Amino acid sequence: MDAYDEDSQAPDGPDGSTGARRPEVPERRGDPAREASGGPEASGDPKGSPPPEGSPPPESALLPAALRTGVAALSPRYQVGAAVALAVVAVAACVHLAMVFLSIAPANTVTKQHGKAIEEWVYPEFEQNWKLFAPNPLQQNIAVQARAEVRMKDGSLRTTGWRDLSAQDGADIDGSLVPSHTQQNELRRAWDFFVATHGADNRPVGMRGALSEQYVRRIVVMRLGREDAISREGDIQRVQVRSRTTNVQPPRWSREKISDKPVFRLLPWWTVAADEAAGGVR
């Protein structure tokens, strides 16, 4: 016998290099009908086969309720409450934006029919100082000045000089990288509010006239009580306010001629209530 012939009955060697070859085992095949239909076993894709019985569920199903965030972590009853609250906030925001838009939009059917309701919603907290479709930049410099009648500790009355409150705000703003909203707009908007609600004779027009008058008076008392030396020493009894208006001069290349003389608007004396003078606005 040739040394290279394989003995079918000889045992395998330790490394498989010598001895007889193991008998070949025929490959197992599945159901012919299943193979013909392209099942998972025929395609060789293990993902297409269903998970075996007893296998663990997916990780998403094991997520505890404590790890859920947002509205999903709430119970169904509280989820309904959160949805209702969000709906109320959204409706309120839409109504507010619509009211502000109508207050600055040109006159239309809605503003003519519901103008009073729009004014009650917007003024004075949300008043806008611009027109949406017709910008009107200011062409005048308006300074608000005030003086006070002060009762001193010895019982005498003293009248302070005119104090330019607008100039003081301008000096505080100049050179400031982040000027406060109060310095920029409090006094200016209060005076605009007063002018819009009073006639040329300084009498209130409409129900908001008294409110604007009280607003300006309280600002003046607060400012004089803080910045004026005489007012700090006694009690303010009355205040008087005036405005000084000067036109913004045109550029040199313009042929337009505008007067540079200031125009004053003098208001009557206002009596200061005891709560305002003694700490109501301090």
Side-chain angles (χ1 to χ4, degrees):
M1 180 181 292
D2 192 352
Y4 293 97
D5 290 341
E6 296 178 355
D7 187 2
S8 59
Q9 296 180 356
D12 294 339
D15 56 355
S17 59
T18 62
R21 179 183 298 175
R22 292 182 181 181
E24 295 183 358
V25 181
E27 183 180 0
R28 292 184 180 181
R29 297 183 179 274
D31 187 3
R34 187 173 183 179
E35 295 182 24
S37 62
E41 294 179 2
S43 61
D45 184 9
K47 296 183 180 179
S49 60
E53 296 182 3
S55 62
E59 295 182 359
S60 59
L62 298 177
L63 185 64
L67 298 181
R68 299 174 186 172
T69 59
V71 180
L74 301 176
S75 63
R77 182 176 59 181
Y78 287 102
Q79 288 182 6
V80 174
V84 173
L86 291 176
V88 171
V89 172
V91 171
C94 293
V95 171
H96 175 71
L97 293 177
M99 289 293 189
V100 175
F101 173 81
L102 292 174
S103 68
I104 61 177
N108 53 71
T109 305
V110 178
T111 55
K112 291 179 180 179
Q113 186 175 359
H114 304 285
K116 185 177 180 181
I118 295 174
E119 289 185 359
E120 291 178 353
W121 181 280
V122 174
Y123 296 101
E125 289 85 1
F126 308 111
E127 182 182 3
Q128 304 295 315
N129 188 28
W130 57 285
K131 299 298 181 182
L132 184 60
F133 298 103
N136 185 21
L138 298 176
Q139 299 180 357
Q140 295 176 330
N141 290 324
I142 302 176
V144 179
Q145 303 172 348
R147 63 178 179 176
E149 188 178 78
V150 184
R151 183 171 298 279
M152 308 305 293
K153 294 182 180 179
D154 57 0
S156 61
L157 289 175
R158 295 184 60 181
T159 302
T160 66
W162 289 102
R163 190 174 188 87
D164 196 332
L165 305 182
S166 298
Q168 183 63 43
D169 286 344
D172 294 337
I173 293 173
D174 289 343
S176 177
L177 296 178
V178 187
S180 69
H181 181 75
T182 301
Q183 294 171 343
Q184 298 180 76
N185 297 318
E186 182 186 55
L187 181 62
R188 180 179 62 85
R189 297 300 299 125
W191 182 253
D192 291 344
F193 185 26
F194 177 87
V195 172
T197 57
H198 285 72
D201 56 354
N202 297 325
R203 293 185 178 182
V205 178
M207 299 181 60
R208 295 189 296 133
L211 177 62
S212 64
E213 186 175 307
Q214 183 182 20
Y215 187 35
V216 173
R217 184 176 68 250
R218 290 196 172 191
I219 292 176
V220 169
V221 172
M222 179 180 61
R223 296 281 297 272
L224 291 179
R226 184 177 64 235
E227 301 170 2
D228 185 71
I230 298 177
S231 300
R232 289 198 302 266
E233 295 178 0
D235 294 330
I236 299 177
Q237 303 296 308
R238 298 191 304 169
V239 294
Q240 189 176 27
V241 183
R242 72 178 182 183
S243 65
R244 183 179 184 270
T245 304
T246 55
N247 296 319
V248 176
Q249 294 300 309
R252 296 179 180 179
W253 47 263
S254 175
R255 298 181 180 179
E256 186 178 3
K257 301 297 182 180
I258 297 179
S259 175
D260 58 352
K261 295 182 179 180
V263 177
F264 291 92
R265 179 174 181 173
L266 183 64
L267 305 185
W269 285 94
W270 291 335
T271 302
V272 178
D275 58 342
E276 294 179 358
V281 297
R282 293 184 183 179

